[in-house]
Amino acid sequence: MPPTQAAPSRWYFVHPAVDLCCAGGLSLLAFGAAMMSPWYSESGLALPNALVFAGFLQWIINWPHFSATSFRLLSHAENRREFPLTTFVIPTLVGTGILSSLYWSETVAPYFIKFFMLWSPYHFTAQSLGISLLYARRAGYGISMNERRALSAFLYGTFLVSTARAEVSVTAQSYYGITYPGLGVPSELVTILSTVMYGGGALFLLFALLRFLKKGETLPGIIVIVAAAQFVWFVVGYYSPSFYVFVPAFHSLQYLLIAWVMELKENRSGRGDGKVTAVWSLINFLGGASLFWALPKVVHALGVPQELAAAVLISGVQIHHFFVDGVIWKLRNPRVANPLTVGWKMPLPSARRAA
Amino acid sequence: MRAAAALMLFASVAWGAPKKAPQRVIFHTIAGDLVFALYPETAPRTVAQFLDLVRHGVYDTCHFRRLEPGFVLQTGIAEDRVIPLSLLQREMIRKLPAEYAADIRHRRGSLSMARPDNDPDGAETSFSILLGNAPHLDGKYTIFGEVESGVEVLGELEKVPFDSNHTPKIRLNVNYAEVVETPAALQAKVLARAIPIEAGLREMERQLAFKGSLAWVGLAVVLLVLVLSSAIAAVLGRGLRPVLFLNALVGGFVLFLYLAPLAGNRPWLATAVFLGSALLFRALSFFESPGPPKAIAQ
């Protein structure tokens, strides 16, 4: 059944509670529960049950979200035409990085993994900013350039602060058994970046307050939710390992809601939303499993040590995802902005209107 | 002659001469090659780790940091190499439990693990080559092998002057170490005889300088190619923007590869690498980016 065109635009895609949860509200609830419950562990290690559950979510949320990016790029001819370098050249470059890492496992692989480790939180942040701007646009709350800069300073600040904090130490970390180094940045850098982060957040709230007082415009709550979630994920949640293992799932949930909405919006097959959802979900589940479970096993079967295969391939797949994601979801692109910002409501049974 | 050989055989059996591993380890030092035989039954864990570390290049460019003629020639710890250990190499180093054998004595040519004074199970990578008998060390330090060949090389190393701390005044480097897996393979090896120390030192410095220069030349070539391709695209008037972005990605990663390993002890470089990476990610987000926003269809 084709989506219903609602007369007034709504800030949400599905339902206020659903959008709020997917955008970051669920993670805030989870963090609150983790802090107040016996789940909270100060040992520095996640609880075993948390690891098991996070591992399960990895199959059905994290990995499919990677597949959804490649699916969107490759399955839409318009995307392949518009982004030929991303479609053909970037995989070649990333593949070269993977092969180099597998061949020079002691000199290249640790730094290929390190490069991915630094890029990953940046990617989370860029997505949070994009989602904030998207919902602001849908809610009719235009973000000025100064407001955007303040919001960006806060959001990117969370990435910089948390990453710099991790990079103060030169102690080697391990990713699937492959060790990679710390950079050893000075601790003063963390202080400076924290100042930028808090300053940006305070400035954005000040702008919002001034708008409210002068024009009566209320800052959409979902923007606050996204920003708060980002802060919790990177600055505070770091100290709760049993919560922290779920951050990739929360990030993936943010993404999947938007990607799913877009898939329904662009559906030209004539199939109903349920079928489109089922097919899309299955494709991405299988795609994710192929990339993250099957591919390392295939490479291992070719003689590459298992840990090396897993660490390098998973890093490479994610680097490819960071690249593609940054290209195909630009709100400046009308093919992206139009479907996401024109009034549209998911026809849930309770929200169905008479024709 | 036969009687002497039989007597030696009887003596070795009577005194429980340790069984040697089939492998041999060769230390290619600046004074020539030393061949070590190892005692896997006497010190199994020590021998296993030693072989593993040699196979993975942990002892390459290490040095003998303590020289007491007639007593010991001792290596430094592996972290004290010319070329820093890789992370994988560091991960391989484990503390070794003491493995004393009552019937094996510290004598000239013995290989004995060094350890902290107050930690009998604290041996890791540093070891001594005994330059004389040292019965006072028996039962306190793990003997894991002996010098089988290269006595004259030891003699050259012993001649090096040293200071009051018994630190050689010339760095006695081990250029590289290798495991020779079988006696047949050892037979096929051409071992370097003892060479005067000064000639060996000059050769090592030349090799290291060459390798270091080669790495930086490689980086310069890669960056030059990237700059040239950008210049060509600019001249041709085609594809400059995507070429620039792709070159930024490749060049940025290559620079990261070269600079990140050096950042550990240089806070300013670590900061530059960190912030430079963040800027690179930000810049790459404009790759194949569409133009200015158009009016959104309602």
Side-chain angles (χ1 to χ4, degrees):
Chain A
M1 183 175 290
T4 326
Q5 289 289 337
S9 65
R10 298 280 191 266
W11 63 265
Y12 54 88
F13 288 106
V14 177
H15 185 279
V18 171
D19 283 53
L20 282 168
C21 280
C22 290
L26 191 61
S27 67
L28 294 177
L29 291 172
F31 181 71
M35 295 298 286
M36 290 186 293
S37 78
W39 303 349
Y40 185 68
S41 164
E42 293 185 8
S43 69
L45 297 172
L47 296 172
N49 288 346
L51 286 172
V52 169
F53 188 42
F56 167 70
L57 291 181
Q58 196 170 248
W59 282 82
I60 62 169
I61 295 181
N62 302 26
W63 294 352
H65 114 275
F66 290 100
S67 173
T69 303
S70 298
F71 177 74
R72 178 169 172 74
L73 175 69
L74 299 174
S75 65
H76 290 68
E78 303 92 341
N79 283 337
R80 295 197 303 272
R81 270 197 300 273
E82 187 170 356
F83 310 116
L85 296 176
T86 303
T87 305
F88 300 108
V89 176
I90 294 302
T92 306
L93 288 178
V94 174
T96 304
I98 289 172
L99 289 173
S100 303
S101 300
L102 293 177
Y103 188 74
W104 291 294
S105 59
E106 292 190 9
T107 49
V108 178
Y111 298 98
F112 186 74
I113 294 167
K114 182 73 183 174
F115 198 64
F116 148 65
M117 282 291 173
L118 291 175
W119 203 339
S120 181
Y122 172 87
H123 164 74
F124 279 49
T125 307
Q127 177 173 297
S128 292
L129 177 64
I131 284 179
S132 300
L133 296 176
L134 172 62
Y135 276 109
R137 196 181 285 195
R138 285 183 65 87
Y141 190 87
I143 300 271
S144 70
M145 190 51 70
N146 286 336
E147 287 168 331
R148 180 175 176 147
R149 284 183 183 134
L151 181 61
S152 297
F154 175 74
L155 291 176
Y156 285 113
T158 62
F159 144 65
L160 290 168
V161 166
S162 63
T163 310
R165 199 169 48 196
E167 295 301 329
V168 167
S169 169
V170 294
T171 304
Q173 306 283 324
S174 175
Y175 187 66
Y176 285 90
I178 304 300
T179 53
Y180 60 92
L183 291 176
V185 301
S187 54
E188 291 82 358
L189 182 64
V190 179
T191 309
I192 294 169
L193 294 171
S194 296
T195 307
V196 170
M197 176 186 70
Y198 287 119
L203 196 58
F204 184 74
L205 289 176
L206 180 64
F207 283 139
L209 180 64
L210 288 173
R211 272 177 82 163
F212 176 73
L213 292 173
K214 286 183 183 175
K215 301 178 188 174
E217 293 172 351
T218 308
L219 179 68
I222 195 161
I223 296 177
V224 179
I225 294 288
V226 172
Q230 177 78 12
F231 181 79
V232 163
W233 293 354
F234 287 107
V235 181
V236 183
Y238 180 80
Y239 297 105
S240 175
S242 293
F243 164 81
Y244 197 60
V245 294
F246 292 101
V247 167
F250 294 132
H251 160 80
S252 302
L253 203 56
Q254 262 185 0
Y255 181 91
L256 285 173
L257 175 69
I258 307 300
W260 171 58
V261 159
M262 196 67 164
E263 186 68 18
L264 292 178
K265 186 72 175 175
E266 291 182 330
N267 171 35
R268 294 175 206 142
S269 65
R271 288 185 285 215
D273 291 344
K275 275 193 179 170
V276 170
T277 300
V279 170
W280 180 78
S281 301
L282 182 64
I283 287 173
N284 290 320
F285 172 79
L286 293 174
S290 300
L291 290 171
F292 287 88
W293 182 79
L295 187 57
K297 287 192 181 303
V298 167
V299 172
H300 172 53
L302 295 174
V304 176
Q306 188 168 8
E307 295 85 2
L308 181 66
V312 169
L313 283 165
I314 289 172
S315 300
V317 166
Q318 296 196 57
I319 287 175
H320 178 261
H321 166 77
F322 300 156
F323 223 108
V324 175
D325 227 23
V327 168
I328 66 173
W329 287 108
K330 286 281 187 295
L331 279 179
R332 281 196 294 278
N333 187 340
R335 283 200 304 112
V336 173
N338 286 357
L340 291 177
T341 56
V342 174
W344 180 81
K345 191 173 72 173
M346 176 64 193
L348 290 177
S350 59
R352 212 177 281 274
R353 294 186 173 194
Chain B
M1 187 70 173
R2 281 186 190 176
L7 189 63
M8 284 178 63
L9 179 61
F10 170 77
S12 69
V13 169
W15 290 335
K19 186 178 173 187
K20 297 179 187 177
Q23 300 95 341
R24 295 292 182 271
V25 169
I26 304 177
F27 266 39
H28 300 275
T29 77
I30 60 168
D33 293 343
L34 292 168
V35 179
F36 300 152
L38 305 176
Y39 304 154
E41 290 186 359
T42 307
R45 291 179 65 170
T46 304
V47 167
Q49 172 154 299
F50 186 69
L51 284 171
D52 216 20
L53 295 183
V54 172
R55 286 190 183 105
H56 286 85
V58 170
Y59 283 98
D60 295 352
T61 74
C62 73
H63 72 295
F64 295 104
R65 69 156 184 84
R66 177 184 168 204
L67 170 61
E68 293 189 41
F71 180 36
V72 291
L73 176 67
Q74 183 179 348
T75 71
I77 56 176
E79 285 82 352
D80 198 22
R81 308 182 337 160
V82 171
I83 298 172
L85 288 171
S86 72
L87 295 158
L88 293 177
Q89 288 171 328
R90 267 190 233 139
E91 285 283 306
M92 294 178 65
I93 297 170
R94 302 268 189 270
K95 281 193 176 182
L96 294 162
E99 294 177 303
Y100 307 143
D103 54 345
I104 301 179
R105 306 281 184 254
H106 282 82
R107 53 186 172 80
R108 184 175 173 86
S110 294
L111 305 180
S112 176
M113 287 305 293
R115 60 164 177 82
D117 288 337
N118 55 354
D119 187 1
D121 299 325
E124 287 185 337
T125 56
S126 174
F127 68 94
S128 295
I129 303 174
L130 273 288
L131 300 176
N133 294 345
H136 63 287
L137 301 181
D138 296 340
K140 295 176 188 169
Y141 295 87
T142 300
I143 301 172
F144 67 98
E146 63 185 53
V147 176
E148 188 175 75
S149 158
V151 172
E152 58 283 359
V153 173
L154 276 184
E156 281 296 326
L157 291 168
E158 270 187 285
K159 292 178 190 172
V160 172
F162 51 90
D163 62 20
S164 56
N165 292 324
H166 293 282
T167 304
K169 289 190 175 178
I170 299 171
R171 186 177 165 103
L172 302 180
N173 274 314
V174 176
N175 294 340
Y176 71 99
E178 61 174 319
V179 176
V180 181
E181 300 293 343
T182 63
L186 182 66
Q187 291 279 348
K189 281 277 180 191
V190 177
L191 298 173
R193 295 180 178 179
I195 52 178
I197 202 78
E198 286 177 40
L201 190 63
R202 279 198 297 274
E203 176 61 19
M204 188 214 69
E205 285 173 352
R206 189 194 70 79
Q207 285 183 11
L208 276 176
F210 177 73
K211 282 182 184 172
S213 303
L214 210 59
W216 288 108
V217 166
L219 172 64
V221 166
V222 168
L223 294 179
L224 187 64
V225 165
L226 296 179
V227 168
L228 277 176
S229 63
S230 300
I232 290 170
V235 165
L236 290 176
R238 278 188 201 175
L240 176 61
R241 187 182 157 101
V243 167
L244 278 177
F245 274 112
L246 289 172
N247 287 349
L249 173 63
V250 174
F253 179 68
V254 171
L255 267 177
F256 181 84
L257 203 57
Y258 274 78
L259 297 178
L262 304 174
N265 297 320
R266 299 175 178 86
W268 59 269
L269 182 58
T271 303
V273 170
F274 174 74
L275 294 177
S277 303
L279 286 171
L280 177 65
F281 303 146
R282 178 71 184 137
L284 290 174
S285 68
F286 294 101
F287 184 69
E288 288 201 300
S289 181
K294 297 172 188 173
I296 297 173
Q298 293 296 328

